[in-house]
Amino acid sequence: IDKDQLNHNYPTGIPDERDQHPSFYLTKVIRNSKQISNWAKSFLCKNSACQIEMGHDFEGEKHIVEPYAKGNQMAKLKEVFLSLLREGYSEGDIAILYGKEDCIPNRNDICRQLNLPQVVDACENDCERVLVSTFRKYSGLERPLVILVNIAASLPNGSAPKASMYCAITRAMIKVVSIEEIKG
């Protein structure tokens, strides 16, 4: 709920649910490529997934899942990040998203490991720097390429896993790379 909403005078920023008429749902995908949309739909219930249609014919790139061993998250992130730069993506194309704030490494460590002068957060989405945030803080925003860091294993308490994955995946417009810790 947007408590800073200025368009009306409701205490929570939006009218009480019983006063919201008519209700409607967005069903047309326009910001995500087909590849991203199709993967994201796998996290929705079948009925919801069937109601979503593409508003364009942009194919995008297939998502990639990169496993890493316990203790090697930053090394895997660096490997993936450098390979994406070699593919032609720029720093301003990339968002690195985590499940929870306390899962994000120290930003100075990220800069040092990825050889970056600085990283930005969701408030600076229009900046030409690599963005580092949680997928919740980044909700409603997008970048061409999103790196998801161990999202499924680091969701905030009380989060719905499938809805959270859908939200995280759909932050990407062209490509998603998910780096995940190997279990066991």
Side-chain angles (χ1 to χ4, degrees):
I1 295 173
D2 183 0
K3 294 185 178 183
D4 297 323
Q5 177 62 258
L6 301 176
N7 294 333
H8 41 71
N9 301 333
Y10 303 104
T12 62
I14 60 174
D16 188 82
E17 191 172 344
R18 68 178 177 269
D19 296 327
Q20 296 178 31
H21 301 287
S23 65
F24 61 91
Y25 301 94
L26 301 177
T27 59
K28 193 167 284 202
V29 173
I30 58 171
R31 81 169 145 206
N32 309 118
S33 68
K34 283 183 185 179
Q35 293 282 347
I36 291 169
S37 182
N38 288 340
W39 186 37
K41 282 169 49 174
S42 72
F43 291 94
L44 296 175
C45 69
K46 192 172 186 172
N47 189 39
S48 294
C50 291
Q51 295 175 15
I52 296 174
E53 62 181 289
M54 294 301 300
H56 58 74
D57 63 356
F58 177 60
E59 193 65 30
E61 297 184 38
K62 185 164 176 41
H63 71 276
I64 297 170
V65 178
E66 291 279 351
Y68 67 90
K70 185 176 179 115
N72 291 326
Q73 183 184 89
M74 188 60 78
K76 178 53 79 173
L77 178 59
K78 181 178 182 177
E79 174 190 320
V80 166
F81 177 75
L82 293 175
S83 75
L84 294 167
L85 292 179
R86 284 191 299 272
E87 285 179 34
Y89 287 99
S90 71
E91 291 180 16
D93 291 334
I94 300 171
I96 302 171
L97 303 180
Y98 292 82
K100 298 185 287 192
E101 191 73 37
D102 62 358
C103 293
I104 299 174
N106 177 287
R107 291 176 192 278
N108 290 331
D109 291 342
I110 293 173
C111 290
R112 188 173 49 257
Q113 289 292 321
L114 302 183
N115 196 26
L116 297 169
Q118 76 178 95
V119 294
V120 298
D121 62 20
C123 295
E124 299 175 85
N125 189 50
D126 59 349
C127 182
E128 286 299 314
R129 301 258 185 226
V130 172
L131 182 138
V132 177
S133 185
T134 65
F135 75 94
R136 293 231 192 247
K137 287 183 181 178
Y138 202 59
S139 183
L141 300 171
E142 69 269 337
R143 285 231 169 155
L145 182 122
V146 170
I147 301 171
L148 302 177
V149 182
N150 212 27
I151 296 281
S154 63
L155 292 174
N157 289 337
S159 294
K162 288 187 173 197
S164 296
M165 285 302 295
Y166 180 84
C167 178
I169 291 165
T170 57
R171 300 309 90 217
M173 297 161 57
I174 299 171
K175 183 175 188 169
V176 176
V177 178
S178 179
I179 65 173
E180 300 174 4
E181 185 176 327
I182 300 167
K183 303 279 189 225

